[in-house]
Amino acid sequence: MGTLEQPCYTLIQAPTDTEQPCEMTLKRDLENGDIPGKQAALKKVIQLILNGERLPGILMTVIRFVMPLEDHTIKKLLLVFWEIVPKTTPDGKLLQEMILVCDAYRKDLSHPNEFIRGSTLRFLCKLKEPELLEPLMPTIRSCLEHRHSYVRRNAVLAIFTIYKNFDFLIPDAPELISNFLEGEQDMSCKRNAFMMLIHADQERALTYLSTCIDQVNSFGDILQLVIVELIYKVCHANPGERARFIRCIYNLLNSSSPAVRYEAAGTLVTLSSAPTAIKAAANCYIELIVKESDNNVKLIVLDRLVALKDSPQQEKILQELAMDVLRILSTPDLEVRKKTLNLALELVTMRSVNEMVEVLKKEVGKTHNTVEHEDTGKYRQLLVRTLHTISMKFPDVAANVIPILMDFLSDNNELAATDVLVFVREAIQRFEGLRSQIIDRLLGSLATIRSVTVQCHALWILGEYASSSGEILGVVSAIRGSLGELPIVEDEMRKAAGEAGEDDGSGDKAGQPQQQQKVTADGTYASQSAFSTTTSSLKADDRPPLRKYLLEGNFYLGAVIANTLVKLAFRYISLEADVNKQNAFCAEVMLVISSIVHLGKSGLPQKAMTDDDYDRMMLCLQVVSERTPSLASVFTVQCRGALSHMLAAKSEEEEAQRRDRKASKVVEHVDDHISFSRLTKGSDLSSTDDMFDLSMSMAVSGGKKEGIDLSTSKLSKVTQLTGFSDPVYAEAYVHINQYDIVLDVLIVNQTNDTLQNCTLELATLGDLKLVEKPQPIVLAPHDFCNIKANVKVASTENGFIFGNIVYDVKGSTSDRNVVILNDIHVDIMDYIVPATCTDLEFRQMWLEFEWENKVTVNTQMTELKAYLDYLCKSTNMKCLTPEKALTGAGDYMAANLYARSIFGEDALANLSIEKPLDNPEAAVTGHIRIRAKSQGMAISLGDKINKVQKATIKSVGA
């Protein structure tokens, strides 16, 4: 494979399309050129040596003509040159020329310019030849007494590195640095010296710390960080030292540096489980989150605060700080607020619930009259949900929460208002004592509601829970008032004609358009004229709210009104014994419903009424006219029973998820050792884990993976790029790590020729980007090598990596030889993870996302539930439809699926499948509708579903 590679610390990328200069030209430029010419020539020499060129005659030229120069740029380039140039002969002996170089080092170490001295000292840290370092040791030691701190701190680093690699050159280094530390005043120098003592002679470091432990707060932050690291290591290695240094850690919690406070809090938690220590650390974390401006830092520290809660003992301590946690809500970032509210929900107790509700009510009030920001509505929605959860958890505060939330029903933000009504619906069902209060507030807010969806929810609640005669009559009166004068069609025609008459000031009847009678679908007459086709000219604010929505074509609202009135009619009949009043009430209900139906068929609204809404309202008319006991039971009893069942199922599901979360937290692993405090010696390791070692191992290994056979998993990711009979065989191991794809390509020369300039040329298709171009290599006959290429991923889409291998054969007649590679397919599943969201969020995203992909179900599977489970497993999507809604025997199934990519993109899917009634062994049929914000996401997910469906067909056919 060639000679042994030299160690190298500095890498400089050279352009491959430029002509390489020859050695004679470089020598001439280094000898006779001016300063800029010598700089350029020296740069070319460095690049050539880094690319593997030997240039044996250039060393003496540099020593004679370049090294004596005082130019600072030349000095910097020479430091790189001496680092990479071969310093030994092939048999391992030091070159004679290096004696001259060593003399130049000595001169630079005594140079009056402190920058040259410090740079040379930093360069000496990279040397691996003790023969070069030995003559320089007295000069290096003298640099510890230099007047400038830049030289002194680099001298400490140089002594540290030399002592670590060649301790025989300076055996008294710990004592020397210890004496230096006692008299040093500069913090950067003290930090370097203290760090050396930690690794070289820990006892001396502890002795120094003991002498100045009371002055630690006055030290610089860089030195304080090293002190925290030392205390952590010492206390873990020897728990008996905790009492000696724990006070120092407490003091560092008040440091002026946020980094020091963060590290001190983490160290304090691992060293002590005392309540005062946990409370002090948690308070420190909260202060850091509140005062830090960077949102990423806030999230990191907030995660540490959440991690404290996982321990039952620490959770009780944090519950006392629940109100302090709410201070973090002053942060405008939505993600920080979301995490804070979730943490506060888990910490709230009976003692703090009232205070927490008051704080949240103030936060809700702050969002009410402020300028609408992009995240203001979402934050308001989070607050409403939090208050909802608290009210369900602590029913005593519900009466205090409901009034302020009801004010949001008139809010322009539909999300928050809908969440308020979801909360009101559950509260009115569970808390019977609050029903009359909620009904009164809802009736008062009905006229101010500005959203059709919110109106539908509010009317359903009023129709379901208005129980007394007064409440029922109040609801009907509010509906009639919001609809305006009945019948609606005649009233609208009158207003249109009246406004037109007012506009026509001459009163000329000849100028008025003729009206014609038209028969509507329900057999009634309606007058149609130019006025009826220009009703949009009426000011929308002049109409009552419900009439305005109906004229806009929202006739689903009409169906809800009809449903509500039917429920109220049945309930009124059960309360009122007078038959005349019963009939009068039913007649009024039928008038309202028939007026809405007439409006829907009149042609006045902007959108026509749908057949579903028409059938629903006609059914309600028929139900009110017949009034049979079975229908009364459906409208008055079974509807509320269905709601109770749904709320009970939701509570059971949340409880099951809570139990699963608790069960997933492993308190003690099976193979963990049991530590008895009475039997533990003082020198034994403490029971707490080493935070630094754990974090390092997690960063390197990526976490513990159980139940995975690494050999099979790696082999499954190997892609064959060429055929076995090609002159060059290649295969790639594709390693995907979130945003990066690393291709480890094995290239084998299967010929008897030496392949020169063998280059792996890659290109990408999709939202992928090749980071760097692989360098050309030389392959000996039947030799092999590994080439790595990095690809960046920017979004969740299927991507392809393709390319070829190009090489030259010495003496060949052809210029270049090319081997085409197979495509490497980047699967979307590597970037999609299951996620969860509420039904309201799902519907909102379904309306907002513009890209839809409809996939036809094509499988041989015969079980509906089995197909759903297979689809979820194959696409990494989570089924949002509750398990109870999917159980039982049936011939059709509908389910919502949701997933989120690591780039924050959402993927929605609606599964609608069925089986023929007469053939239970038939395959599942139906459609899957996918919606996403980006086209690539929707198409890629659809391709993945088609691919996994084909796999089921093959497996069943086999």
Side-chain angles (χ1 to χ4, degrees), residues 74-369:
I74 294 287
K75 292 281 187 186
K76 291 179 185 177
L77 291 172
L78 280 175
L79 293 178
V80 179
F81 176 76
W82 298 130
E83 178 189 347
I84 65 173
V85 73
K87 305 174 187 64
T88 57
T89 59
D91 57 357
K93 294 183 179 179
L94 195 69
L95 291 172
Q96 295 295 326
E97 293 90 339
M98 295 311 294
I99 298 174
L100 300 173
V101 178
C102 189
D103 187 59
Y105 292 159
R106 187 183 298 106
K107 289 180 181 178
D108 283 344
L109 287 175
S110 305
H111 201 280
N113 187 304
E114 62 271 5
F115 173 76
I116 294 177
R117 278 202 189 195
S119 300
T120 308
L121 286 166
R122 290 181 68 85
F123 158 70
L124 293 179
C125 297
K126 303 176 182 179
L127 285 184
K128 301 299 180 185
E129 291 79 19
E131 299 91 337
L132 286 174
L133 293 169
E134 187 174 4
L136 304 175
M137 292 314 300
T139 315
I140 295 174
R141 296 170 74 112
S142 66
C143 286
L144 286 175
E145 301 172 1
H146 192 270
R147 59 180 176 80
H148 204 282
S149 60
Y150 179 71
V151 178
R152 295 199 303 274
R153 70 167 174 263
N154 284 305
V156 173
L157 282 180
I159 291 173
F160 179 26
T161 309
I162 294 169
Y163 179 76
K164 185 170 63 176
N165 296 328
F166 317 105
D167 56 350
F168 57 87
L169 292 179
I170 182 168
D172 60 335
E175 183 181 357
L176 177 67
I177 296 299
S178 179
N179 295 333
F180 166 80
L181 185 59
E182 291 177 0
E184 182 57 51
Q185 298 300 322
D186 182 76
M187 283 302 161
S188 60
C189 298
K190 293 176 78 171
R191 180 256 182 193
N192 288 358
F194 192 73
M195 187 178 66
M196 176 189 168
L197 289 181
I198 290 176
H199 294 90
D201 192 342
Q202 199 174 84
E203 285 301 321
R204 288 183 185 272
L206 288 174
T207 303
Y208 172 75
L209 181 58
S210 300
T211 59
C212 60
I213 198 165
D214 293 328
Q215 289 85 38
V216 167
N217 274 344
S218 62
F219 292 166
D221 55 347
I222 55 175
L223 181 56
Q224 287 177 342
L225 285 172
V226 181
I227 289 173
V228 171
E229 181 183 351
L230 172 66
I231 293 175
Y232 184 86
K233 289 184 176 180
V234 169
C235 292
H236 265 279
N238 186 7
E241 298 284 344
R242 290 183 184 181
R244 181 180 172 191
F245 295 110
I246 201 84
R247 184 166 57 90
C248 180
I249 295 294
Y250 268 109
N251 292 336
L252 289 176
L253 289 176
N254 301 317
S255 171
S256 59
S257 168
V260 174
R261 295 205 303 273
Y262 175 75
E263 293 295 340
T267 302
L268 185 61
V269 169
T270 57
L271 295 184
S272 174
S273 58
T276 51
I278 303 300
K279 193 170 184 178
N283 274 320
C284 182
Y285 283 145
I286 293 170
E287 289 293 330
L288 285 172
I289 298 170
V290 172
K291 294 181 179 178
E292 183 59 44
S293 58
D294 190 343
N295 287 329
N296 293 322
V297 175
K298 287 177 182 285
L299 289 171
I300 292 170
V301 182
L302 194 53
D303 284 337
R304 295 297 297 271
L305 198 59
V306 173
L308 280 180
K309 179 190 60 63
D310 290 342
S311 171
Q313 294 83 4
Q314 295 174 358
E315 185 176 11
K316 292 179 180 178
I317 300 167
L318 285 178
Q319 286 173 354
E320 301 175 9
L321 302 175
M323 299 308 300
D324 293 320
V325 170
L326 291 181
R327 292 168 54 202
I328 305 172
L329 293 177
S330 59
T331 304
D333 183 68
L334 185 66
E335 190 64 28
V336 175
R337 286 172 161 175
K338 186 176 182 180
K339 277 194 173 185
T340 304
L341 288 173
N342 290 335
L343 177 61
L345 267 179
E346 296 181 0
L347 297 179
V348 65
T349 60
M350 281 296 297
R351 295 173 58 187
S352 59
V353 64
N354 290 316
E355 292 180 69
M356 185 173 289
V357 166
E358 290 301 320
V359 173
L360 294 178
K361 282 168 62 178
K362 288 180 182 177
E363 287 293 318
V364 169
K366 290 177 185 177
T367 66
H368 195 38
N369 296 318

Side-chain angles (χ1 to χ4, degrees), residues 530-541:
F531 302 139
S532 64
T533 60
T534 59
T535 55
S536 60
S537 63
L538 290 171
K539 291 183 180 179
D541 293 340

Side-chain angles (χ1 to χ4, degrees), residues 708-738:
I708 299 177
D709 187 358
L710 290 179
S711 60
T712 57
S713 66
K714 282 194 173 184
L715 288 175
S716 66
K717 293 183 180 180
V718 172
T719 304
Q720 186 177 338
L721 301 180
T722 64
F724 292 111
S725 59
D726 285 321
V728 176
Y729 172 76
E731 64 182 22
Y733 168 62
V734 184
H735 178 69
I736 297 176
N737 182 18
Q738 289 199 345

